[in-house]
Amino acid sequence: MTLLDTTIVTIAIPEMAAALDASLDDILWFANAYMLVFAALLLLSGRLGDRFGAQRTFTAGLAVFTVASAVCGFVDTPGQMIAARAVQGLGAAVMMPQTLALISAVFPAERRGAAFGVWSAVAGLATVAGPRCLACR
């Protein structure tokens, strides 16, 4: 979901812009706030998982991501949307590195390659699914 969310917002931009009376700059920040926070915090979040445990850190990130996603549905101004998207990026950044750590912990060495392969396939599909959905409109 975190990777899908990086691109799928492009589908909703016309409706978001109209509903929030957003400027072009606001629209750009709807997507960029998420990506900026997500990319900036990935390494730190991986270290947090090492320090506090991957499962606990993943759960915290999931909670932040879920709450921020819900807030995105109820915002009234472009500034609120940008802030909610940034918090959503924070939650995604906390979750993402933990998924790999959890795969390493859960799967035995002989099955780990297949598990990482499935993870990679899903990540690739999620990344391209957002723009592809534009054709579905």
Side-chain angles (χ1 to χ4, degrees):
M1 188 61 196
T2 60
L3 291 174
L4 177 65
D5 209 46
T6 61
T7 58
I8 202 162
V9 75
T10 57
I11 295 169
I13 282 178
E15 288 82 9
M16 291 166 57
L20 299 174
D21 194 30
S23 69
L24 178 59
D25 288 338
D26 294 330
I27 293 167
L28 293 172
W29 276 108
F30 292 167
N32 292 336
Y34 179 93
M35 288 301 296
L36 182 64
V37 173
F38 178 71
L41 297 179
L42 273 175
L43 291 175
L44 175 64
S45 300
R47 180 67 180 121
L48 288 174
D50 293 342
R51 181 159 170 87
F52 298 109
Q55 186 175 2
R56 184 182 313 181
T57 307
F58 179 85
T59 303
L62 179 61
V64 170
F65 183 84
T66 302
V67 169
S69 295
V71 169
C72 284
F74 293 104
V75 299
D76 294 323
T77 67
Q80 291 172 346
M81 177 61 80
I82 293 165
R85 291 281 295 162
V87 174
Q88 206 177 23
L90 167 68
V94 171
M95 278 193 303
M96 183 59 65
Q98 311 326 314
T99 59
L100 299 173
L102 290 170
I103 288 172
S104 292
V106 170
F107 288 90
E110 63 274 0
R111 306 264 311 152
R112 215 170 281 151
F116 281 124
V118 169
W119 184 95
S120 298
V122 170
L125 286 172
T127 303
V128 300
R132 292 286 182 223
C133 288
L134 283 174
C136 301
R137 288 184 81 207

